[in-house]
Amino acid sequence: MRLSVEGVGHAYGGTTVLDGIDLAIAPGEIVAVVGPSGCGKSTLLRLIGGLERPTVGGVFIEGDAPAGSLNPITTVFQDFALLPWRTAAGNVALALEDHRLTRAERDEIVADVLARTKLTDFAGAWPRQLSGGMKQRVAIARALAVRPAVMLMDEPLSALDAQTRELLLDDLRDLWVRERFSAVYVTHNLAEAVQLGHRVMVLSRRPGRIREVVEIDVPLPDRPARAAELEPMQRQLWQMMRDEAMAADRELTDAA
Amino acid sequence: MPPDMAPDAAVEARTPPAAAEAKGRRPVPFRGGTFRPRAIPFAAPLVFLVLIGLWELGSRSGLISPIALPAPSEAIAAMGDLIETGMLWRHLEASLSRLVMGWTIGTVAGIVLGLAIGLFSLARAGLSPVVSALFPIPKIALLPLFIIWFGIGEGSKVATIVFGTFFPTVIATYGGVDSVDRTLIRMGQSFALSPLSIVRKIILPGALPAILSGARISASIAIILLVAAEMIGAEYGIGAYILLAGSLFALDQLIAGVAMLSIIGLTVAWLIGRAERALLDWRT
């Protein structure tokens, strides 16, 4: 299944937040989207995820979703979006309850994704008992449970501290090596972008337009070892973003 | 400090001798002792006992005239009479059945309307001003109307409680719905949950803390209205008992009746506390 974003623009009231975005996501590809704050990164994800309708252009799916995919386009939220009144396992099960599955099938999927995200020991824990990193693991497990074809990740590591972020970044990379999911990975952290993205799309400040798309041709599993090669790319991206970020920082915000 | 400068001379030059003397070693002053609530379980019973003891003492010594206020022991004796004659259960049964029926109907209807106002823009636009207009009307003032509409029997009494509990529940419920985290709802949408699932699994549990604290308030209102309603045309019931005792100036019975209301209030508060702990165990 391919996902393509064609000529998408979006405005809230009179404020244009996105303009002329074209993007195609191939199966198994991670596209990192970076840009200064308020450039419409999160809006882009909501448009792709069908939570909002673009003002112009459209988002299209080509081809069938892989067999067994329950929710082909699935979002991982920045602030985890776990139900505080459900345990880790209950939160994962929530995503499955509206699908026609027997109890046994459901329990099996829940146990399986919890094992894949190393959460088996925490199945019965309440979200309030879990650290930020564990919460985000639960949210990732929940996303995996519906076997998405494309994962939309909205700054999934931004609410975590630096060390946890490194750990989870490694986990995400391992996960990709095993599952080969495709993803749109929105972040403001350039290190994450060059560690996880096959391509990095740089957006300008509001209205968000594509400034540049940078290919990163180091295979994902090799990236921790070849950090020295990634360094210049990260610096190049920062050069590109620096002025935009500075200008964005000085803007007054009206739109969310 | 440059090494060639004599340290003692430098200190002396800068600090006056008196201040230098006061600079002894001492702990940092502790300032964190205030505004720290903690549980003191024996305090409440103790306060009750002391107050009742003082009251009894005042009555025995003649400081409190028996015409003004009967001694607690007399009120307890009146309560004993009630238990002996079996009238207590009759009154309690009548009152509790009205209370339970009225409060249940009012609360369920209130939650339904509160959810409707919380979920549907049309209901909010159309009905929330109506709720605001009707909520502040004292339901006791409407009792004559209820008697005409629902009869002098049980109907008007239950209706008073229903109306009294309905409005605070509506307001608590839609306030609770409004306070549900939007990202949780968006999460439900992004996993393609059905609207019914989102209401049942995300919005209702999210609004439950507010609904339960609304239930605390509406239960107290229900008890107040119960007594008011029973003061008209009721044969049995704690309100009727208190009214009769009052018109005969049987103050011991009046106090016994009022104490029963307090006990009902405490029991209801305890039950709601239990419900909160059972239903909201996911909170700290």
Side-chain angles (χ1 to χ4, degrees):
Chain A
M1 188 185 103
R2 293 175 65 89
L3 199 67
S4 61
V5 177
E6 292 169 16
V8 160
H10 196 65
Y12 290 111
T15 331
T16 310
V17 289
L18 279 174
D19 188 32
I21 305 289
D22 288 293
L23 172 68
I25 301 123
E29 183 190 31
I30 300 179
V31 179
V33 179
V34 298
S37 53
C39 73
K41 303 186 292 273
S42 298
T43 308
L44 178 62
L45 273 200
R46 287 204 290 274
L47 296 174
I48 299 175
L51 291 172
E52 274 179 66
R53 278 205 187 96
T55 320
V56 288
V59 181
F60 303 93
I61 300 171
E62 288 166 39
D64 290 327
S69 176
L70 298 173
N71 192 38
I73 303 174
T74 297
T75 307
V76 175
F77 294 86
Q78 177 178 357
D79 43 11
F80 325 127
L82 298 180
L83 301 183
W85 47 87
R86 285 190 176 221
T87 61
N91 266 290
V92 176
L94 176 79
L96 301 169
E97 283 166 6
D98 274 19
H99 296 283
R100 283 163 192 267
L101 295 167
T102 64
R103 224 205 142 83
E105 283 173 321
R106 199 162 71 203
D107 291 347
E108 199 189 308
I109 296 174
V110 171
D112 175 49
V113 293
L114 287 178
R116 271 149 67 196
T117 43
K118 301 167 197 154
L119 283 169
T120 307
D121 295 340
F122 299 91
W126 297 108
R128 71 173 147 85
Q129 300 173 301
L130 297 171
S131 69
M134 282 298 174
K135 281 186 202 155
Q136 194 56 290
R137 281 200 179 86
V138 175
I140 291 168
R142 178 178 60 192
L144 290 176
V146 292
R147 298 205 192 88
V150 180
M151 284 222 261
L152 305 178
M153 310 183 101
D154 188 5
E155 309 216 10
L157 308 184
S158 294
L160 307 175
D161 62 76
Q163 290 118 28
T164 315
R165 199 180 301 168
E166 287 298 324
L167 291 175
L168 224 60
L169 196 61
D170 291 344
D171 281 4
L172 281 176
R173 192 171 30 233
D174 293 346
L175 199 66
W176 183 85
V177 172
R178 274 182 283 135
E179 322 262 337
R180 303 279 161 159
F181 58 87
S182 42
V184 181
Y185 188 101
V186 162
T187 181
H188 60 250
N189 184 318
L190 296 176
E192 285 171 30
V194 297
Q195 283 290 330
L196 275 181
H198 294 99
R199 276 187 291 158
V200 180
M201 186 166 93
V202 183
L203 292 183
S204 68
R205 83 190 135 97
R206 200 168 62 219
R209 298 192 176 96
I210 300 178
R211 259 208 69 175
E212 190 97 45
V213 178
V214 179
E215 299 266 348
I216 298 183
D217 47 10
V218 182
L220 232 56
D222 299 347
R223 287 193 188 176
R226 292 165 68 180
E229 283 171 60
L230 299 173
E231 182 65 35
M233 292 185 204
Q234 191 180 330
R235 213 169 317 125
Q236 179 202 344
L237 284 170
W238 173 235
Q239 284 307 331
M240 238 181 272
M241 263 181 67
R242 202 187 132 88
D243 298 337
E244 300 279 352
M246 260 166 74
D249 194 39
R250 299 178 61 85
E251 255 169 33
L252 295 173
T253 41
D254 295 317
Chain B
M1 189 185 302
D4 57 341
M5 199 197 258
D8 288 342
V11 170
E12 260 173 31
R14 262 179 263 131
T15 41
E21 203 176 305
K23 290 285 183 276
R25 194 180 111 93
R26 59 188 187 272
V28 170
F30 177 61
R31 292 153 179 168
T34 45
F35 304 107
R36 275 204 198 165
R38 59 202 168 95
I40 308 174
F42 54 87
L46 200 72
V47 169
F48 267 105
L49 280 178
V50 167
L51 279 180
I52 292 172
L54 283 177
W55 175 8
E56 181 72 41
L57 226 70
S59 295
R60 293 251 167 122
S61 66
L63 209 67
I64 303 172
S65 149
I67 300 165
L69 197 64
S73 53
E74 285 176 50
I76 292 168
M79 187 76 97
D81 274 353
L82 268 178
I83 296 170
E84 234 168 79
T85 54
M87 289 304 283
L88 178 72
W89 312 118
R90 263 214 155 121
H91 289 308
L92 265 183
E93 194 196 338
S95 285
L96 286 181
S97 70
R98 286 167 194 147
L99 198 64
V100 169
M101 209 192 322
W103 183 80
T104 309
I105 297 173
T107 302
V108 170
I111 290 174
V112 170
L113 187 71
L115 275 179
I117 290 179
L119 294 173
F120 305 111
S121 307
L122 185 66
R124 168 167 313 219
L127 295 177
S128 77
V130 179
V131 170
S132 303
L134 295 181
F135 182 31
I137 299 174
K139 305 303 170 292
I140 302 166
L142 299 179
L143 197 54
L145 274 182
F146 292 151
I147 290 173
I148 295 170
W149 294 345
F150 304 107
I152 189 113
E154 291 303 295
S156 59
K157 296 173 184 64
V158 173
T160 312
I161 299 171
V162 168
F163 278 86
T165 53
F166 174 73
F167 292 104
T169 310
V170 171
I171 289 171
T173 305
Y174 86 69
V177 171
D178 285 351
S179 71
V180 174
D181 189 351
R182 295 288 116 179
T183 48
L184 293 182
I185 295 171
R186 195 170 275 162
M187 181 274 295
Q189 292 171 329
S190 94
F191 279 97
L193 300 190
S194 67
L196 188 69
S197 281
I198 292 180
V199 171
R200 247 184 54 218
K201 295 169 185 172
I202 299 177
I203 293 175
L204 257 184
L208 199 57
I211 294 175
L212 282 173
S213 59
R216 267 183 199 281
I217 295 168
S218 71
S220 303
I221 293 177
I223 294 171
I224 294 170
L225 289 175
L226 168 77
V227 176
E230 282 179 342
M231 286 185 170
I232 295 175
E235 198 181 344
Y236 297 110
I238 296 164
Y241 175 75
I242 292 173
L243 185 74
L244 186 68
S247 51
L248 297 174
F249 275 88
L251 297 184
D252 52 343
Q253 292 180 13
L254 186 126
I255 299 287
V258 171
M260 257 191 298
L261 290 178
S262 284
I263 292 168
I264 294 177
L266 280 173
T267 312
V268 168
W270 178 78
L271 283 175
I272 292 175
R274 287 294 298 263
E276 275 179 339
R277 244 172 298 155
L279 293 171
L280 307 179
D281 57 343
W282 46 272
R283 296 201 302 195
T284 34

